[in-house]
């Protein structure tokens, strides 16, 4: 025991002397390197200013500045510049939507700043890692980084970043549909933000939270305040964010004229901003609005402009612009051109998948080369430290020799451990990246399926409208004319015919009215359904019972949800009349928080679910439920009636790409 205690005391003594020696040597080294570091710092600062100007408008140019910072810092062994270069590269890759590379460089910058104990750099790395995780739909990881950044920023009084981080945390709550929490955090950060531009962004995001909560008037008020702040600084580019949210508001309301008006106002400002990426996405969005309005040639014009810009910068989603062009040509009945762009979409989608695989391989090779460079830099730095320590070795030669041996062992152990950790982290990143790519592919497939369903349903609505108009203007008019002519010859045998004609005329009018799009904006939804059920009950001699709760909430559902639910009820009632052989039908509509539950049950003959049904009616029901991202369950058996249970989310959002 005595020998062990003596040995520990010896080690502690050596470490104390060694630590003092290192400090002295490092001070000498810094004195020698001061001029060189000052020159490097000036170059890095100059490049960073250029980077900061370019990052929002031309991320490709910003990428070149970041690479120059990293190159000259690695060559000169300038640790602060190496850390900042990795941070800049992470931000540049994020601007180019390359989230995997952004994550790699930001993780590296975080480690380097931690080694240097530069806490402002640690805060910025955590903040941007949170943003990358959020865009990768990893809300838990994003919140973890944001909270760490917030804690450190508060600790070091990093006042300029605290409100920005608070806004990012609010955005997480917004993504999670915790709108009250999001509003609370946006309002908390607003008074602390310095400058009109930052306040404008915060107000725009606050308005988006109100919009998603359903408070459209409050949202519009925030958007207008955001625009007013931008105009007070005569900054039209600043208006792009609130204008974009206003476009979303009017698109959700189905007011495409207003959505188009604000989109065109955005276009003038976006062309001034100079960001090709954002300009092509805006032109694609305008094309989608024209597509929804049925103005197919205008849609083609804007999609073509978007495609030309996308080809200039090798835009990774170019395939989906061709898909949009195909839909526009299909609307014009130019099926040859529609098919041409559809095949282009398929080819580009396949090549995008192969390019993604090649990019992953290039990333791994880049990582390998970067790790080698980092090791060489560390070795160079250690050599410089040893050179500085050499100036003091006359007085401390023995201590430095002992310390050198201990440090060599520690450094070797640390390098071994760090290297193993990096290998494991690289393997995990590859696995996670593959899973994310598979998820994105599935999401794109589902989006295309929903677009096809939407197109099919829109076609049905147009055909219903045409048939209803033909029934009303043609058959109903002819029946009325026949009745009028027969009425002039009132003989007893004709009275029965006139009565039958009158009943047939009224039935044709009811059918034509039901085929027309429901007037959900003019009539309370429950009243609309009640009138329909009354008409079909009278016409088909059915006993119908309608239950609903709460009426006010159901009447305030989004218009697109009302139209689809009305059509689903029509399809279900049509099936009951045709097949169920029953006179008793119950319909229940219940809204629970942000979900609508529809139950339609009858006491009819039912059917065997194991037998495949290819009827158009049941397919239309499933298509409409899928369009609303809902779920449907059918409970039936022969001679046991049928119950259809449908759950539908009642909060919808517009997508950027169709």
């Amino acid at each position: 025991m005595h020998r062990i205690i003596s040995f520990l005391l010896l080690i502690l003594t050596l470490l104390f002397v060694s630590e003092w020696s290192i400090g002295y040597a490092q001070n000498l080294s810094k004195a020698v390197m001061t001029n060189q570091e000052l020159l490097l710092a000036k170059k890095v600062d100059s490049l960073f200013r250029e980077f900061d100007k370019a990052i929002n408008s031309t991320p490709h140019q910003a990428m070149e500045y970041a690479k120059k910072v990293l190159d000259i810092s690695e060559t000169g062994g300038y640790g602060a510049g190496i850390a900042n270069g990795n941070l800049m590269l992470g931000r540049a890759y994020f601007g180019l939507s390359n989230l995997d590379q952004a994550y790699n460089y930001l993780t590296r910058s975080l480690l380097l700043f931690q080694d240097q104990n530069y806490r402002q750099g640690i805060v910025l790395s955590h903040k941007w890692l949170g943003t990358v995780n959020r865009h990768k739909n990893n809300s838990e990881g994003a919140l973890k980084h944001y909270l760490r950044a917030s804690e450190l920023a508060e600790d070091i009084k990093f006042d300029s970043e605290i409100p920005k981080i608070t806004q990012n945390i609010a955005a997480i709550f917004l993504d999670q549909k915790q709108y009250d929490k999001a509003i609370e955090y946006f309002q908390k950060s607003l008074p602390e933000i310095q400058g009109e531009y930052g306040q404008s962004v915060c107000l725009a995001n606050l308005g988006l939270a109100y919009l998603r909560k359903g408070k459209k008037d409050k949202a519009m008020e925030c958007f207008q305040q955001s625009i007013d702040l931008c105009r007070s600084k005569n900054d039209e580019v600043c208006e792009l964010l609130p204008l974009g949210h206003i476009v979303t508001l009017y698109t959700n309301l189905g007011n495409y004229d207003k959505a188009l008006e604000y989109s065109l106002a955005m276009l003038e400002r976006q062309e001034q901003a100079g960001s090709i990426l954002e300009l092509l996405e805006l032109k694609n969005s305008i094309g989608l609005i024209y597509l929804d309005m049925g103005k197919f040639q205008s849609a083609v014009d804007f999609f073509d402009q978007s495609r030309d810009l996308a080809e200039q910068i090798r835009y990774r989603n170019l395939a989906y612009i061709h898909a949009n062009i195909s839909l526009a040509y299909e609307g014009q009945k130019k099926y040859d051109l529609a098919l041409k762009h559809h095949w282009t979409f398929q080819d580009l989608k396949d090549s995008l998948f192969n390019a993604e695989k090649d990019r992953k391989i290039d990333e791994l090779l880049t990582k390998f080369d970067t790790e080698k460079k980092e090791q060489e830099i560390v070795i160079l730095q250690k050599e410089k430290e040893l050179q500085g320590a050499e100036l003091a070795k006359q007085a401390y030669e023995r201590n430095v020799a002992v310390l050198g041996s201990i440090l060599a062992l520690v450094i070797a152990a640390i390098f071994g451990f760090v290297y193993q950790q990096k290998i494991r982290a690289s393997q995990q990143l590859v696995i996670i990246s593959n899973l994310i790519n598979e998820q994105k592919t599935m999401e794109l497939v589902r989006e295309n399926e929903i677009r096809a369903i939407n197109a099919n349903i829109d076609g049905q609505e147009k055909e219903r409208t045409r048939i209803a108009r033909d029934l009303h203007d043609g058959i109903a008019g002819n029946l009325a004319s026949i009745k009028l002519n027969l009425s002039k010859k009132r003989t007893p045998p004709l009275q029965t015919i006139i009565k039958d004609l009158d009943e047939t005329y009224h039935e044709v009018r009811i059918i034509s009215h039901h085929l027309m799009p429901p007037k959900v904006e003019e009539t309370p939804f429950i009243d609309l359904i009640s009138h329909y059920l009354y008409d079909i009950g009278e016409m088909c001699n059915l006993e119908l019972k309608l239950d609903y709760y709460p009426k006010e909430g159901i009447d305030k559902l989004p218009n697109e949800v009302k139209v689809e639910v009305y059509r689903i009820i029509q399809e279900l009632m049509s099936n009951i009349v045709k097949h169920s052989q029953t006179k008793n039908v119950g319909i229940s509509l219940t809204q629970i928080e942000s979900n609508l539950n529809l139950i339609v049950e009858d006491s009819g003959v039912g059917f065997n679910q194991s037998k495949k049904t290819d009827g158009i009616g049941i397919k239309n029901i499933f298509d409409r439920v899928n369009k609303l991202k809902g779920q449907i369950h059918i409970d039936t058996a022969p001679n046991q009636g049928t119950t259809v249970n449908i759950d539908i989310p009642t909060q919808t959002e517009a997508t950027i790409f169709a």
Side-chain angles (χ1 to χ4, degrees), residues 25-80:
Q26 285 179 338
N27 288 334
L28 288 174
S29 176
K30 284 181 180 179
V32 173
M33 296 296 295
T34 297
N35 291 334
Q36 182 180 352
E37 288 181 348
L38 282 173
L39 288 173
L40 284 172
K42 287 181 179 179
K43 289 182 181 178
V44 168
D45 288 342
S46 175
L47 288 167
F48 180 79
R49 283 192 293 272
E50 296 301 320
F51 169 90
D52 207 37
K53 293 176 186 176
I55 186 62
N56 292 323
S57 57
T58 52
H60 282 288
Q61 184 61 48
M63 174 76 71
E64 296 303 317
Y65 292 127
K67 287 179 178 178
K68 287 180 182 178
V69 167
L70 191 58
D71 183 56
I72 64 172
S73 299
E74 286 178 344
T75 303
Y78 182 39

Side-chain angles (χ1 to χ4, degrees), residues 195-197 227-236 238:
E196 286 83 356
Y197 177 80
I227 291 171
D228 291 341
L229 276 174
C230 295
R231 289 177 178 171
S232 70
K233 297 294 290 183
N234 198 26
D235 186 356
E236 291 189 341
C238 165

